[in-house]
Amino acid sequence: MKQALFCLLMLISYQTLFAQKIEFYTPRTVRIVKENGTVFNKKSLVVTAEPEKVKVNVTFNDTATIYRSSELTVIVGKNGISFLDNKGNLIMREGSYSFSPIVRGLDKWSYKIKQGFMVDADEGIYGFGILQNGKMSHRGENRRMEQGNTEDYSNFFQSIKGYGVYWDNYSVTYLNSPVEGVAGELTLESQVGDAINYFFMYGGDADGVIAEMRHLSGKVPMAPLWTYGFHQSRERYSSQAELLEVVDKYRELKIPFDGIVQDWQYWGHSYLWNAMEFLASGYPNPQEMMDRIHNQNAHLSISFWSSFGIGTKGFREFQEKNHLLDFETFPPSGLDGWPPRDDYPSGSRCYDAYSEEARDIYWRNLSRLHRLNIDGWWMDSTEPDFYNYDDSDLDVPTAMGSLRSVRNIYPLMSVEGVYNHQREIDTTKRVFIFTRSYFAGQQRTGANTWSGDITSTWDSFRKQIPGCLNFTLTANPNVHSDIGGFLAGCYNINGWNSAKDNPQFKELYVRWMQCGAFMPMMRSHGTDAQREIYLYGKPGEPVYEAMVDAVKLRYRFLPYIYSQAWQVSQYNDSFMRALFMDFKDDKSTWNNNKQFMFGHNILVCPVLHPLYTEEEIVKSPEIYDLKVNWEEDRTYEVYLPKGVQWYDYWTNEKYSGGTTVNASAPISHSPLYVKAGSILTLGPAVQYANENNFDNIEIVVYPGADADFTLYEDEGNNYNYEKGMYSTINLHWNDRSKSLTIGKRNGSFPGMLKSRTFIVKIAGSDAVKEIRYTGKATTVR
């Protein structure tokens, strides 16, 4: 028993046969299964890893059984399970647990299951998903976790103490967490479960926990390079002429962009909902539209849903195979307009994504769009949407049991179905998906989740920062929000689309755009007002220029962003990083919900309050006459984490960490800082991501400590990188000798630049050196 891979401890509890299984997946990750009278052997839909051959030493004493790996000790005693590090320090211990039998319905013979986890008084708890509560630490939360439009859940949390817990259950789950400052029991209670089944992982810090979770449930594939450019969208383009006009206008005005997004109803009326075909009269030749978009070096992403109208081919195929879920969904009426006409019900139904055959049918219908060479998929309503929701809707059958038992994993089943099908038939372009919902493990599809149909208010904007950061802390790095917020009607004082002339909305939109430049996906979208930048002013005007500059800043950082994408994919890194991930010793960062690191070098400080207008929305037409001097400077308070020094990106002025400063925050830009001991790779001005193959890159060193950075490149939009077709160039700054070494290029790929120009700069210095680089190591002093 000294080298047990799968250790079983049998206990007698409440006169029922009760079994606990302790199974090490890695030296740092252990699975705990508690059975109550029946053997639990269901294969996880999330965990794809197999247990490694972990050396586990098992010993017994009068009160406990002790399992020791090289990194983790698990003590199973009469009062529950405790987890200790390899030095014997207590990490976490279980609280109470319960099994409550379900005596009727499809889930008869299953249980409601509950497990507690003890947390310290000052212990920060993070993750769970996208929550619109505005908080970093989820202490004091008491909520029903069920996938929705603006909140999504993954049953995964991690602690400031460096451990994480994945609760492997797919039903609606209740979270109850003790308030900050009070030690107590955090509980997870799921409506349906055959066993208590969770994974405990000790990473030492947030990055280590994320690495363990991705080992369990899948690494992150590379997204296409173009997807890190700017995406323009609105609800909605109603014809191909309207959409192409936007593409033409952006290119004419030389506003950089890479993606245009076609939202819903290109299929026509609601009885044809989600037909996955261009059936509306405004799209006479979709292939011609695609060709024109591609000829202008742009890309199209297109919306589709989980529900199908009764007139669609998909509906008929699903109905014939009994793969439709029997609850009301969107759209409620077959007629256009709102409120919906109940006397003309749409009959739309969601497909059963839990069925492999249904996922095959879904892809066959989507193939009609894939054959048009569309570049990206906007998978909307992947929660999926309910209409006239009632708890009894969860009792409908699916291919995997009751919907109640698998409710929260619907988005993973649907998104992964599209990802896997496209990868099977098309290796020439990477799958690109953005979607409204997710579950644990979805990072293995590379899908980017956005925070749903949020309102266009400052309060909503503020909530997106901790929402996206906590999402990242569930091991999925790809997240963003609609820039400007989705529902902007509160600013339409003079009718539809008048928000674009409202100075209050303009200020919010500018600040959201500046923040969106540092999210994994930069996408402007919303309803009630059109969102194209050129509708918000003219060249030379402050608001217009501020928006354009935010987009140009995004493109300037593309070499840095794409290299970070490689770190995410290869080394389990993250894009948006909660401050405590890099500055854990600074307790002021533990609950900072206003700022974040982008990669390990850039401190992003979004302006989350209006500085030129009032936050309270003025409901009078007089607001349009408000004279705002957009050219006046303003200041905004930001915190600089301690332990390092910081450079103001805009001025190169240097500041000590551990201080709060009043940063300059004119409408033209938000505060941005770079950590001393950083190397930034910044690209030249381009109109689209692939324009110059990363030639003429500026290497900007921020001295004060040694620094390293790896510049990564590949073909940008296929899977050859998985075969080793990519290159890396290691950059190292020696702060003592004041020298930069540009290392030997490692690897190659088709189309790679054989020689290029690097422009080396030192922050705070006017000195510039131009280096002609041919792949050989060189040192610049």
Side-chain angles (χ1 to χ4, degrees):
M1 299 219 18
K2 288 186 177 181
Q3 295 186 10
L5 298 179
F6 186 77
C7 307
L8 178 63
L9 178 67
M10 305 296 292
L11 301 173
I12 303 298
S13 176
Y14 304 107
Q15 298 180 342
T16 302
L17 185 63
F18 177 79
Q20 290 190 122
K21 297 179 180 179
I22 312 298
E23 186 175 19
F24 279 80
Y25 270 60
T26 76
R28 289 173 170 260
T29 296
V30 61
R31 181 190 185 199
I32 309 296
V33 177
K34 299 179 182 181
E35 301 170 344
N36 195 26
T38 57
V39 176
F40 179 76
N41 55 14
K42 286 186 178 179
K43 182 176 176 59
S44 176
L45 298 173
V46 171
V47 176
T48 56
E50 295 294 332
E52 297 177 357
K53 293 182 178 180
V54 180
K55 182 178 180 179
V56 180
N57 181 272
V58 184
T59 58
F60 305 89
N61 60 36
D62 292 341
T63 61
T65 303
I66 303 167
Y67 304 85
R68 287 189 178 91
S69 73
S70 60
E71 301 290 339
L72 192 63
T73 297
V74 181
I75 301 177
V76 183
K78 294 179 181 179
N79 295 321
I81 300 176
S82 298
F83 303 90
L84 294 80
D85 65 20
N86 57 10
K87 295 180 180 179
N89 300 309
L90 178 66
I91 306 169
M92 190 271 286
R93 62 184 177 89
E94 286 186 341
S96 61
Y97 65 89
S98 64
F99 290 84
S100 302
I102 299 172
V103 297
R104 62 176 59 89
L106 290 174
D107 299 309
K108 186 177 181 181
W109 311 119
S110 292
Y111 302 91
K112 291 182 180 179
I113 55 173
K114 183 178 181 179
Q115 178 66 60
F117 306 93
M118 304 307 298
V119 296
D120 298 337
D122 63 346
E123 185 176 347
I125 297 295
Y126 312 97
F128 288 115
I130 298 179
L131 282 66
Q132 300 291 343
N133 61 6
K135 296 161 59 176
M136 269 309 304
S137 176
H138 293 314
R139 298 297 297 266
E141 283 299 305
N142 184 1
R143 60 171 57 224
R144 172 183 170 120
M145 298 198 297
E146 180 178 3
Q147 311 298 23
N149 182 315
T150 61
E151 293 192 318
D152 299 303
Y153 302 96
S154 71
N155 290 0
F156 177 89
F157 71 89
Q158 63 167 287
S159 161
I160 194 69
K161 294 171 67 175
Y163 71 83
V165 172
Y166 167 57
W167 177 255
D168 198 15
N169 184 284
Y170 318 130
S171 68
V172 175
T173 297
Y174 294 87
L175 163 67
N176 194 311
S177 174
V179 297
E180 194 84 42
V182 177
E185 186 177 56
L186 181 154
T187 60
L188 296 175
E189 182 176 13
S190 293
Q191 288 190 347
V192 182
D194 296 326
I196 290 173
N197 178 26
Y198 71 89
F199 290 80
F200 177 90
M201 55 204 79
Y202 181 60
D205 58 22
D207 288 304
V209 172
I210 288 171
E212 289 295 308
M213 184 58 183
R214 290 193 195 156
H215 172 79
L216 282 179
S217 57
K219 293 175 77 75
V220 182
M222 293 283 290
L225 173 60
W226 68 267
T227 65
Y228 295 108
F230 176 61
H231 302 250
Q232 182 61 64
S233 181
R234 78 159 82 136
E235 194 282 300
R236 63 183 172 93
Y237 300 117
S238 58
S239 69
Q240 69 183 58
E242 188 175 43
L243 184 147
L244 290 171
E245 180 184 7
V246 175
V247 176
D248 293 342
K249 191 69 173 179
Y250 268 84
R251 289 292 182 243
E252 174 191 335
L253 293 171
K254 298 191 182 302
I255 302 173
F257 94 108
D258 270 88
I260 189 81
V261 185
Q262 174 63 61
D263 203 348
W264 60 0
Q265 293 178 297
Y266 56 88
W267 47 72
H269 59 73
S270 290
Y271 289 119
L272 295 176
W273 187 268
N274 197 37
M276 296 179 170
E277 291 185 81
F278 287 94
L279 301 176
S281 60
Y283 301 87
N285 195 330
Q287 187 61 68
E288 177 186 340
M289 176 181 69
M290 286 305 309
D291 293 342
R292 282 188 56 184
I293 292 170
H294 288 158
N295 287 340
Q296 297 208 62
N297 297 296
H299 304 80
L300 178 73
S301 299
I302 195 165
S303 164
F304 53 90
W305 286 54
S306 301
S307 54
F308 288 81
I310 58 176
T312 62
K313 298 172 184 175
F315 185 98
R316 294 193 293 272
E317 289 186 76
F318 288 124
Q319 186 178 53
E320 180 183 352
K321 298 290 186 178
N322 197 30
H323 290 320
L324 292 171
L325 299 178
D326 191 21
F327 60 81
E328 287 186 86
T329 187
F330 201 88
S333 175
L335 302 180
D336 292 335
W338 198 265
R341 290 277 299 271
D342 291 336
D343 53 338
Y344 285 92
S346 72
S348 294
R349 290 295 180 267
C350 290
Y351 85 106
D352 186 351
Y354 306 102
S355 161
E356 182 177 0
E357 183 179 50
R359 294 193 297 271
D360 291 343
I361 294 171
Y362 194 75
W363 174 255
R364 282 203 302 272
N365 281 271
L366 185 57
S367 293
R368 290 190 290 271
L369 296 177
H370 183 254
R371 287 192 292 270
L372 292 173
N373 202 21
I374 288 174
D375 304 288
W377 307 123
W378 176 359
M379 296 186 67
D380 208 340
S381 184
T382 45
E383 307 86 48
D385 250 319
F386 285 77
Y387 183 69
N388 284 333
Y389 178 77
D390 185 273
D391 193 64
S392 63
D393 287 332
L394 299 181
D395 294 323
V396 304
T398 77
M400 289 185 176
S402 75
L403 181 58
R404 185 180 304 277
S405 67
V406 289
R407 166 75 172 100
N408 279 347
I409 205 169
Y410 188 97
L412 174 62
M413 306 304 294
S414 185
V415 170
E416 191 164 39
V418 171
Y419 175 80
N420 288 341
H421 275 98
Q422 183 172 332
R423 285 222 56 173
E424 286 174 3
I425 67 166
D426 187 354
T427 61
T428 62
K429 54 197 299 186
R430 298 174 196 166
V431 184
F432 174 59
I433 298 170
F434 64 99
T435 184
R436 200 169 72 184
S437 193
Y438 92 120
F439 195 71
Q442 202 159 305
Q443 76 281 348
R444 62 181 178 248
T445 69
N448 196 307
T449 303
W450 95 94
S451 56
D453 298 341
I454 54 176
T455 56
S456 302
T457 64
W458 287 95
D459 181 64
S460 178
F461 179 27
R462 288 189 287 269
K463 289 175 179 176
Q464 303 321 300
I465 308 304
C468 290
L469 292 174
N470 274 295
F471 179 97
T472 296
L473 289 163
T474 66
N476 193 327
N478 292 313
V479 63
H480 71 288
S481 67
D482 289 343
I483 292 176
F486 182 71
L487 299 163
C490 54
Y491 295 96
N492 278 339
I493 311 304
N494 274 350
W496 182 84
N497 203 32
S498 63
K500 66 183 178 59
D501 300 313
N502 187 326
Q504 288 190 293
F505 181 65
K506 284 183 176 183
E507 183 177 5
L508 174 66
Y509 194 15
V510 167
R511 296 307 192 185
W512 213 317
M513 187 77 74
Q514 290 166 350
C515 178
F518 294 97
M519 287 185 169
M521 184 178 182
M522 186 184 187
R523 182 180 62 93
S524 168
H525 179 69
T527 191
D528 302 314
Q530 296 171 350
R531 301 304 174 91
E532 289 73 25
I533 291 173
Y534 51 79
L535 299 176
Y536 291 81
K538 300 176 182 178
E541 295 179 352
V543 169
Y544 174 91
E545 292 294 345
M547 290 189 188
V548 173
D549 285 348
V551 174
K552 289 181 177 179
L553 186 67
R554 174 70 168 201
Y555 281 83
R556 182 152 168 74
F557 273 93
L558 270 186
Y560 177 90
I561 294 170
Y562 199 59
S563 296
Q564 183 64 20
W566 168 247
Q567 297 295 324
V568 168
S569 181
Q570 186 72 3
Y571 301 109
N572 297 309
D573 211 332
S574 302
F575 292 104
M576 296 179 69
R577 299 175 56 82
L579 294 189
F580 74 82
M581 296 176 73
D582 293 284
F583 306 99
K584 184 177 177 180
D585 292 338
D586 182 354
K587 291 193 71 171
S588 297
T589 68
W590 290 13
N591 280 307
N592 189 308
N593 61 354
K594 301 175 182 179
Q595 302 164 206
F596 59 93
M597 296 294 291
F598 192 69
H600 295 265
N601 308 106
I602 305 167
L603 177 63
V604 182
C605 308
V607 175
L608 302 173
H609 296 269
L611 302 180
Y612 292 86
T613 61
E614 297 297 322
E615 180 162 344
E616 184 177 351
I617 299 171
V618 176
K619 296 297 185 179
S620 168
E622 294 176 359
I623 188 63
Y624 297 100
D625 299 322
L626 179 67
K627 303 301 181 184
V628 179
N629 186 352
W630 298 110
E631 296 182 350
E632 287 185 356
D633 198 5
R634 293 288 189 271
T635 60
Y636 189 72
E637 190 175 274
V638 301
Y639 177 71
L640 304 177
K642 68 182 179 181
V644 298
Q645 292 184 309
W646 297 93
Y647 288 84
D648 184 319
Y649 174 80
W650 306 105
T651 67
N652 285 327
E653 188 174 353
K654 200 172 182 180
Y655 296 86
S656 296
T659 58
T660 298
V661 299
N662 287 317
S664 176
I667 196 66
S668 61
H669 63 259
S670 293
L672 197 64
Y673 292 85
V674 183
K675 183 178 67 175
S678 293
I679 300 172
L680 299 187
T681 50
L682 305 178
V686 293
Q687 290 299 293
Y688 54 92
N690 295 293
E691 185 174 350
N692 85 328
N693 293 325
F694 288 177
D695 198 2
N696 295 300
I697 287 177
E698 288 185 13
I699 301 174
V700 186
V701 176
Y702 291 81
D706 289 353
D708 291 280
F709 187 84
T710 299
L711 180 66
Y712 172 84
E713 299 169 282
D714 62 21
E715 293 171 84
N717 196 18
N718 60 38
Y719 289 101
N720 285 341
Y721 76 92
E722 295 181 344
K723 304 172 185 177
M725 297 183 189
Y726 62 86
S727 77
T728 58
I729 301 172
N730 294 322
L731 309 174
H732 174 72
W733 168 255
N734 185 311
D735 201 57
R736 174 174 291 183
S737 65
K738 306 302 179 191
S739 62
L740 174 73
T741 299
I742 303 173
K744 176 185 176 183
R745 180 170 51 219
N746 297 302
S748 64
F749 58 91
M752 182 183 73
L753 291 177
K754 300 298 184 182
S755 64
R756 63 177 353 132
T757 298
F758 284 129
I759 303 164
V760 180
K761 296 182 178 181
I762 308 297
S765 169
D766 294 330
V768 176
K769 288 196 175 182
E770 189 173 293
I771 306 297
R772 195 63 187 166
Y773 178 78
T774 59
K776 297 179 181 179
T778 184
T779 297
V780 185
R781 287 183 172 83

